[in-house]
Amino acid sequence: MAEIKETDKVVIIDESTTKTKFYTKKTLYPAGEKNLMKKSAKTYRKNFLAVLGLNVESTLFVVKNLDEFEFAKALFRIKRFYADSDEDKKVLDKLITNCTLSNKEITTKFEKREDNPEFIEKIGRSLKNNVKDKSMVLARKIGKHCKRESTENKKIREEIKKNHFFELIDEYGIEEQFKDDRMVLMLDNAPSHTSTFVLEIAEKLNICLTPLPKYAPWLNCVEKVWDIIKYQIKLSIIRKSSELVNLVFKTFNKKCKSGFFNRTTSQTSEKF
């Protein structure tokens, strides 16, 4: 457990996937009419990240997924929400906007990399050792090597994206700018929270990630928030995805106002 200073901003976070289910509910109707009412015509799914402040206000974000890259981006968004100055917010806005690479940008960065001599030697050995193979067999063997050395390789794509995050952090001088703005963030031990990449990003943002004990979800007060939200979803008729998002934000702001929840933000969900 990290030592908490008086000037630290302390929050506790948790992620959850909320969704509606297609189901029907028995209802009393006059004789001769159908006694089934459709509650939700489709299944809608959204991922959310709740941030409950212990000495600051709380907030809620919609996140694309729950992997380490999206969580690293969420750390930028959390840091931006609690930033003290407009200058800090502008820098973090640039970081949030530019940290996601498209497939075309990943390919462009890959093409700028230096040649891999080991790969060239491997292709040469493969041609030499399989010279008697038919052309189709030889093409398949070489194709496997080429696929491992292209953007189709998941590890290469992840390496490019990680390097891009650190390049932006260095370019915008994030580490130096936030060296005196420390935040303590308590969270569970999900794989995306404990990866080396996320830990390095948090260190550069001056965020101290403090994991809660394993197999102890009752210690995370955000779990109670999800219980309240999911109960409200069960009671509601959801006709489209935006209604699900609005309901989650509305419930978060109105229901979570006791104890640590008394500083919930009035943030609305404009983008989802």
Side-chain angles (χ1 to χ4, degrees):
M1 181 70 71
E3 180 182 352
I4 299 176
K5 302 176 183 179
E6 186 177 349
T7 56
D8 290 345
K9 300 168 184 173
V10 185
V11 299
I12 183 168
I13 72 163
D14 193 40
E15 298 155 309
S16 181
T17 301
T18 60
K19 61 181 180 178
T20 61
K21 295 182 180 179
F22 176 81
Y23 66 98
T24 57
K25 179 181 179 182
K26 291 184 178 180
T27 314
L28 293 177
Y29 282 91
E33 296 187 16
K34 294 182 179 180
N35 67 336
L36 292 176
M37 179 180 67
K38 291 182 179 179
K39 288 275 286 185
S40 296
K42 294 182 180 179
T43 298
Y44 300 106
R45 179 192 297 265
K46 286 290 180 181
N47 302 313
F48 294 91
L49 173 68
V51 185
L52 298 186
L54 275 65
N55 61 354
V56 288
E57 64 177 325
S58 303
T59 189
L60 181 70
F61 298 108
V62 180
V63 292
K64 186 177 179 180
N65 53 55
L66 306 179
D67 65 13
E68 62 178 347
F69 294 103
E70 189 65 25
F71 184 66
K73 187 176 179 179
L75 291 180
F76 298 155
R77 296 170 71 185
I78 292 171
K79 195 73 176 181
R80 194 267 180 208
F81 182 82
Y82 294 108
D84 297 322
S85 68
D86 292 337
E87 183 182 351
D88 292 344
K89 291 180 180 180
K90 288 180 181 179
V91 171
L92 289 166
D93 281 337
K94 290 181 182 179
L95 187 59
I96 293 167
T97 303
N98 298 324
C99 68
T100 303
L101 290 174
S102 65
N103 290 332
K104 185 177 180 180
E105 290 171 328
I106 290 175
T107 302
T108 302
K109 283 184 171 288
F110 176 77
E111 291 173 350
K112 292 180 179 178
R113 289 172 39 153
E114 295 180 0
D115 288 339
N116 185 354
E118 293 182 2
F119 168 70
I120 297 173
E121 291 177 7
K122 189 180 293 184
I123 293 295
R125 288 197 304 269
S126 183
L127 288 170
K128 184 178 179 180
N129 296 336
N130 301 281
V131 67
K132 295 182 180 180
D133 288 344
K134 292 183 178 180
S135 58
M136 291 181 62
V137 176
L138 185 60
R140 187 177 70 251
K141 291 179 179 179
I142 295 176
K144 289 182 180 179
H145 294 309
C146 295
K147 187 175 181 180
R148 295 191 194 105
E149 194 61 26
S150 70
T151 53
E152 293 184 33
N153 188 331
K154 184 180 178 182
K155 290 183 178 180
I156 289 179
R157 292 176 63 86
E158 289 180 349
E159 181 186 348
I160 292 172
K161 289 193 285 186
K162 288 177 181 179
N163 290 337
H164 180 64
F165 270 74
F166 292 120
E167 287 171 5
L168 288 178
I169 288 174
D170 292 339
E171 179 182 345
Y172 297 138
I174 297 296
E175 192 170 4
E176 178 66 22
Q177 187 160 352
F178 293 97
K179 64 179 181 180
D180 298 322
D181 183 15
R182 186 170 181 262
M183 176 181 291
V184 176
L185 196 153
M186 292 184 279
L187 69 177
D188 59 25
N189 292 273
S192 60
H193 300 168
T194 57
S195 71
T196 303
F197 169 65
V198 167
L199 295 176
E200 290 178 0
I201 292 290
E203 183 179 356
K204 289 183 178 294
L205 290 171
N206 201 7
I207 297 177
C208 178
L209 299 182
T210 305
L212 295 168
K214 294 182 179 180
Y215 312 113
W218 57 87
L219 295 178
N220 191 336
C221 52
V222 189
E223 295 292 344
K224 183 61 178 176
V225 175
W226 300 133
D227 290 342
I228 296 171
I229 289 173
K230 290 176 181 178
Y231 177 72
Q232 290 298 317
I233 291 174
K234 287 183 179 180
L235 299 179
S236 305
I237 299 175
I238 308 295
R239 296 184 180 87
K240 51 186 179 180
S241 180
S242 59
E243 291 183 1
L244 173 61
V245 175
N246 290 331
L247 176 63
V248 172
F249 273 86
K250 182 178 179 181
T251 306
F252 182 84
N253 289 326
K254 287 191 175 181
K255 298 293 183 179
C256 308
K257 291 187 176 179
S258 61
F260 291 143
F261 315 143
N262 58 357
R263 298 186 179 91
T264 51
T265 179
S266 58
Q267 177 179 346
T268 57
S269 53
E270 295 178 357
K271 295 182 180 180
F272 43 80

